[in-house]
Amino acid sequence: MPTFAQQNKEIYPKTVFIKKNFCDYAIKVTLLTFICRIKTFLNKMMIKKILLTASVVIMLSSCSSQKQTLTYFEDIKDNKEGVLTEPEYKLVLQTDDELLITVNSSEPSAVLYYNMPLANPAQRDMLQGSFNPQLQTYIVDNEGCIVFPVLGKIEVAGKTLPEVRSMMTELIRKDVSDALVRVELMNFYVKVMGEVKMPGRYKVTKNKFSVLDALATAGDMTEYGVRDNVTVIREENGKLVYHHLNLNSSDALTSPYYYLRQNDVVYVEPNQSQQDSSKYNKNKAYNISVISTIVSACSVVVSLVIALTVK
């Protein structure tokens, strides 16, 4: 007696083919549905994370703005007038300072030997380019001395610019009675960093330069700067020392660190709101990267499964 397959030999292959196509279609629909659900889930997670981050940042900013003040010298803001005592200040020379020294007289030929020949470049900052000839500068060596024409070795470290000028004028006037000596510090730079509008390294062209001058040169603090904890870093006797200034109080104006010296660093700390915001931004970027990687991996896996199924 013939079997069922033999009796239906024409219909059976078609049935198998239809079942195979149906299975392939069902697998594709299932995979596509799975992908859509994954994408929907990830999108929801992204939205939740963004909303959570925004809420936390706003909350922290609100809390911070209630606690932090943006004004300077709050202790005298209600006074109509007053007198503030300035700290004693002397800008003293130290090792590796760079000096420009010129000697003039009513008779130029009389002081010719006291002025170094024109040199190019004249200053260390000009070693990288081509410049017009200028007078040579003098570097304070490790012994605190400079070597000056005619006078020879002169100790200048620990002295102020007026003291060096007075000392050299006295020595040169033994030879030239009307000699006029000019001494300038060429490497008076300060660095302003942190929460200021224009951080950078600034050249100072005057003898007295305060923390407020530095902040003004850098465009003042941003609204995120901590005004009661400004740090001044300074090199003293071969060691780096630091001091914190509270610019919410007028007592900062009497600090020995109020007036800056050559190579001082002024650092303005960001408030807690800015620090927390930075952390959340980093975490958010990391989370987005992880989610993008997961989505890409799922897409690759699904594509491979579909390709293998079609084959």
Side-chain angles (χ1 to χ4, degrees), residues 162-270:
E163 288 172 346
V164 173
R165 180 173 62 248
S166 176
M167 176 183 63
M168 296 189 66
T169 300
E170 183 179 350
L171 292 173
I172 295 174
R173 281 186 176 178
K174 293 178 180 179
D175 180 38
V176 182
S177 60
D178 65 343
L180 296 175
V181 180
R182 181 183 178 186
V183 183
E184 295 180 56
L185 180 63
M186 303 303 293
N187 64 305
F188 195 166
Y189 291 93
V190 296
K191 297 176 183 177
V192 188
M193 305 168 61
E195 284 297 329
V196 293
K197 295 177 182 177
M198 296 182 296
R201 179 173 179 259
Y202 295 97
K203 182 174 177 60
V204 179
T205 56
K206 57 183 183 178
N207 291 333
K208 295 180 73 173
F209 193 75
S210 69
V211 170
L212 294 182
D213 290 326
L215 293 176
T217 304
D220 202 3
M221 294 188 199
T222 68
E223 61 271 27
Y224 304 110
V226 177
R227 284 154 173 75
D228 60 0
N229 194 34
V230 176
T231 305
V232 176
I233 303 173
R234 174 175 298 170
E235 183 176 353
E236 291 183 342
N237 300 321
K239 296 180 180 179
L240 285 178
V241 298
Y242 65 90
H243 185 78
H244 298 291
L245 296 177
N246 178 9
L247 295 185
N248 284 338
S249 171
S250 60
D251 291 341
L253 302 177
T254 63
S255 168
Y257 288 82
Y258 174 68
Y259 283 110
L260 301 177
R261 299 180 185 176
Q262 58 271 45
N263 303 316
D264 277 0
V265 177
V266 178
Y267 172 68
V268 180
E269 179 186 358

Side-chain angles (χ1 to χ4, degrees), residues 58-89:
I58 292 172
M59 180 182 66
L60 292 173
S61 299
S62 175
C63 294
S64 176
S65 61
Q66 293 176 0
K67 295 180 180 179
Q68 183 183 347
T69 175
L70 299 180
T71 58
Y72 296 101
F73 314 126
E74 280 202 321
D75 56 330
I76 59 173
K77 67 179 182 180
D78 296 327
N79 300 340
K80 291 184 179 180
E81 60 183 17
V83 178
L84 297 173
T85 304
E86 286 192 354
E88 183 180 352
Y89 171 76

Side-chain angles (χ1 to χ4, degrees), residues 121-135:
Q123 302 174 36
R124 287 179 294 181
D125 288 348
M126 298 181 177
L127 293 176
Q128 297 295 327
S130 177
F131 297 88
N132 294 326
Q134 298 183 29
L135 286 175

